[in-house]
Amino acid sequence: MSGVMVSSDIAPDDLEFRKLLEFDVDDFWENQETESERSSLDENEYDEETSIYTYASLQALLRKQGLVPSDVDTVNWTVKGQTIFQLCRIGDIESVQALVQKGVELNVRDAWDATPLYYSCLCGHVGLVRYLLEQGAVCDVDTFDGERCYYAALNKDIRDTLLAFRGQVLPRGEDQFSGYLRRVFESLQQWGEDSDADIYFEIFGNQVYAHRIVLATRCPYFEELIQKRWRFKRRIKLKHPLLSFRAFYALVKYLYTASLDLSEEDTSAFLALCRQCRLEGLQKAILRELNIAEAKREMKHRVLAKITAGGGDSLRILIYGNKHLNSLHEDFSKLGLKLLDVSKEFSEFDGDMESCLEWFHACPGNLYADVILKVQQRFLFCHRFVLMRSEYFKGLQSFRKDYNTDMSSYEAWTLDELDPFILSHVLYYLYCERLFIGNELSTQMVVDILDAGEMLLVPGIKESCASLLIQNLSCENAVSLLEIAETFSLSSLRAACCLIIAADFWDLVRPSKEGDEFTDLLSRLEPYAARSIVEDVRESAVALGGSEDRTFDEREELGERLDAVFELLGFTDLA
Amino acid sequence: MSRRLGSRVLILPFKHSVQADPKYAERTWDSLKEAIKEICKHNTGVLSYEELYRNAYNLVLHKHGDMLYNGLEECLTELLDQVVKQVAAHAESSFLERVKQEWEWHKVSMVHIRDILMYMDRTYVAAKRKTPVYDLGMALFREVFIKSPLIYERLVNGILGHIQLERKGEEVNRQLMASLIIMLRDLNGEQEGEEIFCDFERRLLKETADFYYGEAQLQLSICSCPVYLKRVEQRLVEEQDRIQNYLVINSPSELIKVVQDELVTRHMETILDMENSGFIHLVRNDCIQDLATMYNLFHQVQGGDELLRSRLKKEIRTQGNIILNDVDNRNDPIRWVEAVIRLRQKYMNIVCHAFGSRQAACTTWSSQVDTWSLETCVDKKLLQTVNDSFEWFLNQFIRTSEYLSLYLDHRIRTDFRNASEAELESCFEQVILLFRAVREKDLFERYYKQHLAKRLLSGRNFSEDIERIFIEKLKSECGYQFTSKLEVMFTDIRTSAEEVEAFRSAMEDLQLSLNGIEFQVNVLTTGCWPIRNQPSARLPLEMQRCCQVSGAFEKVYFARHSGRLLSWQTSLGNVELRAYFPSRRHELMVSTHQAIILLLFNHNDELSFRQIQEETGLPQSELIRCLKSLACGKYRILCKEPKGKEVLDTDMFSFHSKFTCKLVRIKVSNIMAEKETEEEKRETQGRVDDDRKPQIEAAIVRIMKARRYLDHNNLVSEVISQLQTHFVPEPAEIKRRIESLIEREFLERDNNQRSYRYVA
């Protein structure tokens, strides 16, 4: 390999790029689900004689050490067979954290209509209560659930914690991506005309600003309208008497954030809007919430008639959660694929910006992109508000603004030093927070994506790549991935590599004058980094000692070899 | 090389050209340094963001973060040093402008530098806990540029100089000032030696204090009090305006306080006591506007309120003493009370209109500044001061209660016909306000009762509605117990009318005639009327006929109400006489006693005082009063020998045959002791004291019944607090009452001498 490290010296051939782009969108989700099956199939085919550790056994080893969390069952939302309710009762904060990281819904109810927060209050786990509240568990004042938590709290610490979070409006059911979209939406409304909104609605004197692309992506009905009736209009005036501004605002907000906060009086207008826009799933969810709320109110009247006598009894419908977030991600990943699809068509222009733009304007399915990235004679079409997730593009924009006064609706940014194939993967991640795991992705590509993503400061891509790399860790690539881990400070990948090396040291650690891969790597690193790696390998070996497939002799042997490595590297002060 | 995911791939170790070229880092840094210099020269157009970013990224990724960070710091310092030299060379006129310009440029440059070094900010800076790039740029600007000896003093002095200039009335570039001050604020560091903004504020406060110290000295020597106050107010407004427009400091209240200290607090006494224009002058001349200004200024500084209150108190006491010491006033209750009322209105007017947060009220209620909104924002403590002062001096004067009652009597008798109800109402209001300040409320009650009785019985000049208005006010002031007896008096008058009506019809039923006499009786409840039992006068023959009628009345009355005793009070009766004078016939309206005296002259031409006394059997004082009104009053129906104003027991009286008068009906008013004589006063006082005794005893028993056991001091203080609404009992008197109760075995002394026990 040569050149700057990001672009691999073997550029993926055109064919591969095309394959990626021709990838059938509908198959994508099925593919992802069968991913684990496929690797297990591969495992069986794989036969390695040189090492006593097979891929499968190595992965099992990693799992055992907790580097690959396998106990988390994301179908039933359990850890080691225990539901979140049970975990909250026993106060197992680590497992709850693992579940939360996987995106478990915190405001769920069990058969007794109790929430996880209620159980942790009842059983007195202050730390867990705080964690749940921080993660967006709801404890509203003046609601039955909120008061139940407060009165059931075991001690004053917990009550104080609950009070400290009272009134704090937490973004509920939000992940990084939807949180970003919420901020985008809010700044759109704040800046109005000055924002990059390309469509706005006027309803009885109030405005809602939006991006065409979001509306079209999230709601097929809007897509139809935008393509036909609203095609050349920027200002859409809606004056149907049944329409209410608040309901419409809430709908647009839902399309952006996948969460809904609706007061009761707007519900009927909103339901009508859902029907019009053919959002059956949302409509059903609201109707279900309404039923629950109605039942709860009845109960509250019975149980707490005294307490609520004075207070307002207005009802709010809250819709959020993983189901809605998933559909948000799904929609945006479809959008990402479509963009790549469109970009593919432009690859023929071969760097000729002028003719490309001309063609682009004429194209009906141009997806309302407002930024064109020019990468090595290829064009990628993107949306500014998505690109702004990355600090890199923000900086790029502000840097260019100073001497680029021409604020046309399209901007062409050149990123010549990146590989278009890698960049398209990074952009895909930017659009939907997921890696495009097609069957064409190689480990080297993952590393390249990691590098490019890191450089472009794409939030979260580093961790996603690292966990993908851990899943594909084996004796052959352990040492080289260890270097990657060192370079990008990926602690989980580093720990996994050390473990693999400690387990399979026969081939990997062979100190000699000619040098082996491992010793070479250490010699390239800074002395303190090298030393800490050796220490970590040693520790991993101790950790492995607990398992029965390790003999005392082997451990001795590894210790001797590591000492030898030290000697070779010239670390004399360590025995 | 690259194989499918899932089938594990051997990844070749990274062997970068970077590693191969040891000079790579230096070369990259050099290019970055050049770029940073270009950015600082505002030449961003020629640079490529992508390339610079990538270079910085590579440096950081390959652990050259230290080099990059330190290099950046060095480079910026160097650049800023050059800027210092350039700026320092500027002349005074354009210096501040240039500093501002440099600051603006530096901010823009730092944004760009931060953008290209963003990766370092995210990883290297975060891991090593260093100052982020932008903040580093700001800190360097402060340390290298602002704090440079060539710049700092000039900058701060320049800003302060501009502020002083504006205070002296010159125009300055406010926008420039604002941006420079905001610059200092933004650059303020938290560590010691970095707090340039705090330093600036300190110096600003000192300059301000110095300036206004001189200002106060100058203005005080040339201005009168109101003018000075207006100037101060103007200054404060100016400072507020400055703070709002460009003096964006952390503690604006402190700046204002410095100004107030220098202009007001230090000179409060001087301002108040200014010759011919100070506080006293303003109050005496009712300069509401100036007093309001004064109040606003004093109210805001510490100690101002107290000083103002003490001055007001002193002034009211002085004015009160003037009224008290005026001999004319002392002898004329009407004039006295009116003077007091006028005084009180004057001060209330001042307090309500000048001493309150009037501005707030005016802005919120603008057009409809009614009394309510004024009341709500009047300074409560000042109001209290006025009330206290009045209370003090009203109680200085022993006859306050009597005078108040007399004034009231006068107003009701003279004004009730021609004054509107509202006028009387406001008059009552004023009296009640003064009454509130009087401690001995039962004394007032006694006087008031006497006067009321006279009004009620005279039957003339009497309007129940008006009397009721005042009684309602008394009731709300002192509670229903206080007025219950007064109400009985009204009921008596009303029921008497019914009785007489019943009597008349009874007489008609019995076919009895009244002998042509118009007969009118008032039946009064004993104990509720302030009546001294006087022996009945001997009635002459002419009157015996009336007595027959009254005998009949007694019969009818006893038939209606059994078990009651009626006794006749001739001293309170009225009679209408028809008298034939040589000139013409007159109808004389006289009191019963006067009538008795006049009837004597039907048979005698001349009678001596002693003879009259013998014939009528009237007590001497009453006789003197009757004779005085007949012989020395407005209408002289009798002649006195020798002539004179006073009636002596050696005088001779005869019928005045030459009496003429235009009117047919003559009302001979009985000369009332409008003001009590000394003797009467003592008597009233004695009776008040007698009345008080049972009240004090009742209070003691009530308290002891509840407490069972109490020590002396607490008992006395509780008694006083219970009776306060009526009068203030003397502790010695309370002690006497306790002794008497012990004698009567209501209480007993505890072994401990200072405590008492209640004996059931």
Side-chain angles (χ1 to χ4, degrees):
Chain A
M1 285 201 193
S2 64
V4 191
M5 54 195 139
V6 174
S7 54
S8 71
D9 52 351
I10 315 153
D13 52 12
D14 219 54
L15 187 74
E16 212 159 39
F17 189 60
R18 274 171 186 284
K19 268 185 193 162
L20 167 70
L21 297 175
E22 281 157 12
F23 189 77
D24 189 355
V25 174
D26 292 334
D27 288 344
F28 179 62
W29 298 102
E30 288 165 27
N31 279 334
Q32 200 193 25
E33 278 155 26
T34 54
E35 182 61 38
S36 52
E37 291 164 31
R38 186 179 306 118
S39 19
S40 61
L41 280 177
D42 285 350
E43 242 166 65
N44 298 341
E45 290 164 13
Y46 186 67
D47 182 26
E48 182 62 74
E49 278 133 36
T50 51
S51 170
I52 54 165
Y53 284 99
T54 61
Y55 171 76
S57 63
L58 275 175
Q59 286 294 323
L61 206 59
L62 289 173
R63 209 165 286 142
K64 211 167 177 181
Q65 294 298 313
L67 290 164
V68 179
S70 63
D71 299 330
V72 181
D73 176 359
T74 51
V75 178
N76 300 316
W77 295 114
T78 55
V79 175
K80 296 171 204 138
Q82 287 187 302
T83 64
I84 187 159
F85 301 105
Q86 288 160 327
L87 291 172
C88 282
R89 257 182 284 180
I90 58 173
D92 184 351
I93 190 164
E94 281 89 12
S95 303
V96 175
Q97 276 169 345
L99 277 177
V100 169
Q101 272 159 17
K102 290 282 167 193
V104 72
E105 172 58 53
L106 282 178
N107 295 300
V108 285
R109 285 154 210 292
D110 64 0
W112 289 272
D113 202 32
T115 59
L117 182 65
Y118 168 74
Y119 283 121
S120 49
C121 286
L122 186 68
C123 303
H125 307 298
V126 185
L128 186 56
V129 169
R130 182 173 294 279
Y131 177 75
L132 288 173
L133 288 169
E134 277 165 3
Q135 293 302 315
V138 181
C139 175
D140 269 341
V141 250
D142 299 338
T143 63
F144 178 71
D145 288 315
E147 295 195 349
R148 192 178 177 195
C149 285
Y150 187 78
Y151 290 122
L154 186 70
N155 52 42
K156 192 168 176 298
D157 273 1
I158 292 180
R159 278 195 290 274
D160 289 345
T161 312
L162 286 172
L163 285 180
F165 277 86
R166 183 179 63 176
Q168 185 176 325
V169 183
L170 290 163
R172 282 167 200 154
E174 203 175 68
D175 59 7
Q176 246 187 346
F177 186 63
S178 66
Y180 174 76
L181 282 174
R182 178 176 56 78
R183 287 192 294 280
V184 166
F185 179 73
E186 280 162 7
S187 77
L188 268 190
Q189 308 314 318
Q190 191 190 340
W191 295 106
E193 277 298 310
D194 300 328
S195 68
D196 59 352
D198 51 9
I199 191 165
Y200 71 95
F201 300 92
E202 203 172 289
I203 303 152
F204 309 123
N206 295 311
Q207 281 94 21
V208 190
Y209 292 85
H211 295 111
R212 280 167 194 268
I213 185 63
V214 178
L215 298 183
T217 309
R218 297 277 286 139
C219 171
Y221 178 71
F222 278 132
E223 186 177 16
E224 209 173 278
L225 282 174
I226 285 172
Q227 271 174 9
K228 289 171 187 156
R229 275 201 3 229
W230 298 346
R231 178 124 193 246
F232 299 106
K233 279 205 265 181
R234 183 146 184 274
R235 172 166 167 270
I236 314 286
K237 202 164 181 179
L238 299 174
K239 45 192 170 190
H240 194 279
L242 282 181
L243 212 56
S244 106
F245 169 72
R246 275 187 302 193
F248 192 80
Y249 184 89
L251 176 69
V252 177
K253 193 170 181 187
Y254 172 79
L255 295 183
Y256 272 84
T257 61
S259 72
L260 189 65
D261 181 350
L262 205 60
S263 67
E264 195 181 20
E265 63 220 75
D266 298 327
T267 323
S268 57
F270 192 85
L271 282 172
L273 207 56
C274 284
R275 219 170 302 126
Q276 178 73 27
C277 298
R278 293 174 221 140
L279 295 166
E280 286 88 1
L282 184 57
Q283 196 180 337
K284 258 184 227 157
I286 290 172
L287 286 173
R288 204 182 52 235
E289 278 296 313
L290 261 179
N291 284 337
I292 294 173
E294 201 53 52
K296 238 191 291 182
R297 182 147 63 177
E298 206 126 285
M299 187 160 100
K300 192 169 150 187
H301 273 302
R302 273 210 309 275
V303 180
L304 292 171
K306 246 188 228 163
I307 298 171
T308 55
D313 201 18
S314 84
L315 193 75
R316 277 161 76 214
I317 304 289
L318 301 172
I319 300 276
Y320 50 84
N322 279 317
K323 210 180 113 214
H324 300 272
L325 279 181
N326 274 339
S327 79
L328 179 77
H329 285 293
E330 220 166 290
D331 288 343
F332 268 90
S333 64
K334 276 180 200 157
L335 167 67
L337 288 174
K338 264 192 222 161
L339 270 176
L340 298 182
D341 206 28
V342 173
S343 304
K344 180 194 67 183
E345 294 183 32
F346 290 98
S347 56
E348 288 127 40
F349 288 94
D350 216 28
D352 182 2
M353 186 73 108
E354 289 295 315
S355 51
C356 162
L357 273 180
E358 212 170 286
W359 196 88
F360 179 76
H361 281 296
C363 174
N366 62 15
L367 295 170
Y368 323 106
D370 48 5
V371 173
I372 302 167
L373 294 178
K374 180 167 178 268
V375 192
Q376 293 182 355
Q377 310 302 321
R378 282 184 207 285
F379 297 103
L380 293 171
F381 293 92
C382 309
H383 298 95
R384 194 197 308 266
F385 75 95
V386 180
L387 286 188
M388 287 307 126
R389 283 190 72 198
S390 142
E391 295 283 334
Y392 174 86
F393 286 109
K394 260 192 201 166
L396 181 65
Q397 194 188 16
S398 86
F399 205 82
R400 295 171 66 92
K401 234 179 210 163
D402 275 7
Y403 57 94
N404 191 3
T405 47
D406 170 36
M407 284 295 285
S408 63
S409 55
Y410 300 100
E411 274 190 58
W413 294 344
T414 317
L415 296 169
D416 268 337
E417 293 183 60
L418 288 172
D419 178 276
F421 174 76
I422 300 299
L423 183 61
S424 59
H425 269 279
V426 173
L427 289 180
Y428 180 78
Y429 189 89
L430 211 48
Y431 268 86
C432 59
E433 221 71 333
R434 273 169 203 184
L435 279 175
F436 187 103
I437 311 174
N439 45 5
E440 308 295 335
L441 208 55
S442 77
T443 311
Q444 176 62 50
M445 284 178 191
V446 176
V447 172
D448 286 347
I449 291 168
L450 168 65
D451 185 30
E454 174 77 349
M455 192 190 101
L456 297 183
L457 291 170
V458 176
I461 198 167
K462 202 159 108 170
E463 288 72 25
S464 301
C465 288
S467 73
L468 203 60
L469 286 173
I470 290 174
Q471 281 171 38
N472 289 283
L473 205 55
S474 65
C475 312
E476 289 82 15
N477 56 20
V479 175
S480 42
L481 283 179
L482 180 61
E483 188 177 4
I484 303 286
E486 263 310 289
T487 315
F488 292 97
S489 342
L490 289 163
S491 54
S492 61
L493 181 61
R494 185 169 176 275
C497 289
C498 285
L499 192 70
I500 299 278
I501 291 168
D504 205 11
F505 68 95
W506 301 108
D507 287 333
L508 294 174
V509 188
R510 269 189 296 229
S512 67
K513 288 275 179 261
E514 296 87 54
D516 63 329
E517 215 185 339
F518 184 63
T519 321
D520 275 355
L521 169 66
L522 293 185
S523 68
R524 277 203 304 279
L525 292 173
E526 308 249 342
Y528 71 87
R531 187 177 297 176
S532 91
I533 286 178
V534 171
E535 287 307 310
D536 282 354
V537 172
R538 226 190 272 272
E539 260 171 45
S540 303
V542 175
L544 283 174
S547 52
E548 58 286 342
D549 50 10
R550 264 302 182 171
T551 63
F552 179 74
D553 290 344
E554 280 172 340
R555 226 165 42 225
E556 284 286 286
E557 174 72 29
L558 175 65
E560 276 167 29
R561 285 194 184 194
L562 287 175
D563 288 345
V565 171
F566 267 126
E567 243 168 67
L568 268 177
L569 291 172
F571 301 148
T572 47
D573 52 337
L574 251 162
Chain B
M1 262 198 58
S2 43
R3 279 154 60 181
R4 298 286 148 89
L5 190 77
S7 51
R8 284 132 314 279
V9 176
L10 187 75
I11 295 186
L12 286 186
F14 274 2
K15 287 210 176 75
H16 299 299
S17 55
V18 187
Q19 265 11 67
D21 181 1
K23 288 270 169 60
Y24 172 80
E26 273 93 57
R27 272 196 289 112
T28 318
W29 163 238
D30 284 342
S31 74
L32 271 172
K33 193 166 158 186
E34 284 312 308
I36 289 172
K37 281 181 182 163
E38 286 300 314
I39 288 173
C40 287
K41 282 182 205 152
H42 325 295
N43 280 339
T44 36
V46 300
L47 302 170
S48 150
Y49 175 78
E50 293 89 335
E51 189 194 326
L52 294 173
Y53 181 90
R54 175 176 293 279
N55 282 340
Y57 170 74
N58 281 338
L59 276 181
V60 175
L61 201 62
H62 292 279
K63 320 289 182 204
H64 296 298
D66 279 328
M67 178 183 168
L68 183 57
Y69 192 86
N70 296 336
L72 172 73
E73 198 170 343
E74 237 168 71
C75 173
L76 283 174
T77 311
E78 200 178 297
L79 285 167
L80 283 168
D81 268 333
Q82 288 169 14
V83 175
V84 168
K85 283 185 196 106
Q86 286 169 20
V87 174
H90 271 263
E92 210 57 57
S93 55
S94 59
F95 175 76
L96 291 179
E97 194 67 51
R98 186 61 206 268
V99 170
K100 179 197 158 196
Q101 190 60 55
E102 283 301 333
W103 164 241
E104 304 289 338
W105 280 342
H106 185 74
K107 276 198 290 189
V108 174
S109 307
M110 281 321 296
V111 168
H112 288 317
I113 293 172
R114 181 197 60 192
D115 283 347
I116 60 171
L117 299 181
M118 190 151 2
Y119 190 76
M120 180 170 79
D121 253 355
R122 284 302 131 85
T123 52
Y124 172 80
V125 170
K128 299 268 166 117
R129 294 170 198 280
K130 299 223 175 194
T131 321
V133 172
Y134 187 80
D135 297 347
L136 175 74
M138 295 300 115
L140 284 176
F141 191 79
R142 176 182 65 224
E143 295 300 321
V144 179
F145 182 81
I146 299 286
K147 283 176 83 176
S148 143
L150 292 171
I151 305 287
Y152 187 65
E153 282 303 312
R154 271 179 84 183
L155 175 66
V156 173
N157 286 337
I159 298 173
L160 292 177
H162 273 73
I163 293 171
Q164 291 303 57
L165 274 183
E166 204 191 38
R167 281 184 182 143
K168 282 177 188 152
E170 283 177 44
E171 285 252 326
V172 297
N173 185 348
R174 284 191 159 196
Q175 226 155 20
L176 174 64
M177 289 292 112
S179 44
L180 285 174
I181 289 168
I182 289 170
M183 171 186 84
L184 286 179
R185 192 186 63 180
D186 291 351
L187 285 174
N188 196 31
E190 272 159 21
Q191 254 122 58
E192 206 169 322
E194 295 177 355
E195 297 166 322
I196 50 169
F197 191 59
C198 300
D199 181 53
F200 168 75
E201 271 190 66
R202 271 194 295 277
R203 289 175 62 171
L204 174 69
L205 290 182
K206 196 175 165 301
E207 289 270 318
T208 310
D210 286 350
F211 177 80
Y212 283 110
Y213 176 76
E215 169 89 359
Q217 298 294 344
L218 179 72
Q219 298 291 346
L220 278 173
S221 63
I222 56 168
C223 293
S224 69
C225 175
V227 177
Y228 181 76
L229 292 174
K230 290 233 171 58
R231 295 247 163 105
V232 173
E233 207 172 38
Q234 179 63 29
R235 282 295 185 186
L236 285 171
V237 169
E238 276 171 27
E239 287 301 326
Q240 281 290 1
D241 178 59
R242 220 159 276 147
I243 285 167
Q244 258 163 29
N245 281 305
Y246 69 89
L247 222 46
V248 196
I249 54 178
N250 291 334
S251 50
S253 57
E254 238 167 79
L255 182 73
I256 293 294
K257 196 174 169 303
V258 164
V259 180
Q260 284 172 341
D261 274 354
E262 289 299 329
L263 291 181
V264 183
T265 319
R266 274 162 175 271
H267 308 291
M268 279 197 290
E269 303 264 346
T270 326
I271 298 168
L272 285 175
D273 297 338
M274 264 194 200
E275 214 45 58
N276 291 328
S277 65
F279 180 68
I280 307 285
H281 175 86
L282 294 179
V283 168
R284 292 199 181 148
N285 293 308
D286 285 326
C287 304
I288 299 290
Q289 204 59 49
D290 295 330
L291 283 170
T293 315
M294 177 182 279
Y295 172 78
N296 275 342
L297 291 176
F298 277 54
H299 184 60
Q300 286 164 20
V301 305
Q302 202 177 4
D305 275 342
E306 286 79 18
L307 203 60
L308 218 51
R309 279 205 292 275
S310 76
R311 286 302 152 101
L312 185 66
K313 192 164 150 191
K314 216 165 116 193
E315 171 65 7
I316 292 177
R317 287 186 176 199
T318 320
Q319 294 294 331
N321 278 331
I322 290 174
I323 292 178
L324 288 184
N325 295 329
D326 189 335
V327 182
D328 285 352
N329 282 337
R330 280 184 88 95
N331 293 330
D332 186 348
I334 313 300
R335 248 181 85 182
W336 188 86
V337 173
E338 269 172 359
V340 173
I341 288 178
R342 262 201 309 280
L343 193 67
R344 196 189 145 80
Q345 271 173 340
K346 176 189 169 82
Y347 287 109
M348 288 316 284
N349 183 35
I350 288 172
V351 169
C352 290
H353 292 97
F355 298 162
S357 39
R358 200 168 36 90
Q359 271 98 348
C362 288
T363 45
T364 41
W365 300 91
S366 57
S367 57
Q368 38 171 342
V369 186
D370 51 4
T371 44
W372 179 78
S373 72
L374 275 176
E375 286 289 330
T376 51
C377 57
V378 159
D379 191 315
K380 289 272 153 43
K381 281 186 178 166
L382 269 163
L383 208 60
Q384 186 63 39
T385 310
V386 173
N387 286 334
D388 286 351
S389 311
F390 269 89
E391 193 178 326
W392 177 82
F393 95 80
L394 284 176
N395 288 307
Q396 288 290 98
F397 186 48
I398 245 171
R399 310 182 76 161
T400 308
S401 303
E402 188 191 345
Y403 279 16
L404 274 178
S405 179
L406 279 172
Y407 173 74
L408 207 59
D409 187 47
H410 171 78
R411 287 303 296 263
I412 291 175
R413 280 193 295 120
T414 55
D415 291 358
F416 88 102
R417 238 176 237 138
N418 35 26
S420 72
E421 199 161 293
E423 269 174 62
L424 273 175
E425 177 110 38
S426 79
C427 162
F428 290 162
E429 194 59 49
Q430 295 297 335
V431 172
I432 285 285
L433 284 173
L434 293 182
F435 167 71
R436 199 176 287 163
V438 172
R439 284 210 198 94
E440 318 225 304
K441 295 190 165 54
D442 56 346
L443 202 59
F444 173 82
E445 187 206 359
R446 187 158 289 280
Y447 284 114
Y448 177 73
K449 214 192 230 173
Q450 264 173 23
H451 295 137
L452 178 65
K454 274 180 197 153
R455 289 198 296 275
L456 286 176
L457 291 179
S458 74
R460 290 164 296 182
N461 299 351
F462 162 70
S463 153
E464 190 173 337
D465 287 345
I466 290 172
E467 301 286 354
R468 284 231 175 258
I469 292 172
F470 188 75
I471 287 179
E472 276 309 310
K473 284 194 188 299
L474 269 186
K475 199 193 232 172
S476 61
E477 194 65 29
C478 298
Y480 76 98
Q481 281 167 325
F482 196 81
T483 56
S484 60
K485 286 186 178 176
L486 302 177
E487 310 232 7
V488 170
M489 289 164 77
F490 279 101
T491 335
D492 277 352
I493 295 297
R494 217 176 305 122
T495 49
S496 296
E498 286 165 19
E499 288 300 339
V500 171
E501 205 50 50
F503 168 66
R504 290 229 176 91
S505 58
M507 293 306 273
E508 268 166 38
D509 289 350
L510 293 170
Q511 308 283 313
L512 288 172
S513 87
L514 289 170
N515 294 344
I517 293 169
E518 255 181 62
F519 185 76
Q520 174 73 38
V521 177
N522 282 326
V523 183
L524 312 181
T525 312
T526 328
C528 291
W529 291 73
I531 297 165
R532 278 161 291 179
N533 266 327
Q534 279 182 346
S536 291
R538 202 172 301 132
L539 297 179
L541 270 178
E542 289 87 344
M543 286 213 170
Q544 299 295 334
R545 280 194 296 158
C546 303
C547 289
Q548 288 166 10
V549 179
S550 56
F553 176 76
E554 274 180 23
K555 270 183 206 152
V556 174
Y557 186 81
F558 289 140
R560 281 165 61 88
H561 310 278
S562 61
R564 291 198 185 174
L565 186 68
L566 285 178
S567 70
W568 293 94
Q569 293 290 329
T570 48
S571 59
L572 300 171
N574 287 313
V575 171
E576 242 171 73
L577 288 178
R578 192 165 298 162
Y580 296 92
F581 289 90
S583 55
R584 61 182 295 187
R585 197 193 65 182
H586 286 286
E587 276 176 17
L588 303 176
M589 297 164 76
V590 293
S591 73
T592 313
H593 287 171
Q594 284 168 339
I596 292 170
I597 295 168
L598 285 177
L599 285 173
L600 288 180
F601 288 90
N602 273 348
H603 313 290
N604 309 300
D605 283 342
E606 198 179 43
L607 285 167
S608 72
F609 183 84
R610 296 256 174 245
Q611 277 172 317
I612 297 173
Q613 194 173 13
E614 227 163 82
E615 289 287 330
T616 56
L618 290 170
Q620 182 158 351
S621 62
E622 176 71 13
L623 187 58
I624 290 174
R625 203 188 298 160
C626 290
L627 285 172
K628 221 175 172 180
S629 51
L630 288 170
C632 314
K634 198 176 166 194
Y635 307 107
R636 298 189 177 173
I637 300 161
L638 296 181
C639 290
K640 187 168 79 83
E641 200 61 45
K643 297 210 176 328
K645 280 267 173 190
E646 293 302 313
V647 172
L648 299 170
D649 54 2
T650 54
D651 289 346
M652 295 296 286
F653 295 92
S654 60
F655 183 62
H656 187 211
S657 50
K658 291 179 187 119
F659 178 81
T660 53
C661 183
K662 280 183 207 158
L663 299 168
V664 177
R665 278 171 73 92
I666 297 169
K667 182 181 184 284
V668 180
S669 54
N670 205 349
I671 290 184
M672 281 194 225
E674 293 239 297
K675 234 170 56 186
E676 284 187 311
T677 57
E678 278 306 307
E679 192 192 340
E680 277 177 316
K681 209 169 82 185
R682 258 200 309 281
E683 204 191 316
T684 314
Q685 189 61 48
R687 277 198 293 155
V688 166
D689 284 345
D690 284 347
D691 266 11
R692 282 178 184 182
K693 279 175 194 164
Q695 284 201 48
I696 296 173
E697 281 178 2
I700 293 171
V701 171
R702 263 201 306 278
I703 292 163
M704 289 309 289
K705 203 168 182 176
R707 297 297 183 86
R708 296 272 147 196
Y709 183 85
L710 205 63
D711 65 299
H712 180 78
N713 289 343
N714 276 333
L715 180 58
V716 171
S717 65
E718 279 219 29
V719 169
I720 293 177
S721 76
Q722 267 208 6
L723 293 174
Q724 219 159 29
T725 50
H726 297 270
F727 59 94
V728 181
E730 298 275 323
E733 181 61 32
I734 298 177
K735 200 159 180 227
R736 271 200 292 282
R737 290 302 104 212
I738 294 173
E739 299 289 343
S740 129
L741 283 170
I742 289 171
E743 265 167 40
R744 281 180 279 160
E745 292 186 340
F746 279 97
L747 305 179
E748 66 177 13
R749 272 215 175 79
D750 198 44
N751 299 336
N752 176 358
Q753 283 292 302
R754 304 296 292 169
S755 303
Y756 307 103
R757 193 189 304 283
Y758 181 72
V759 184

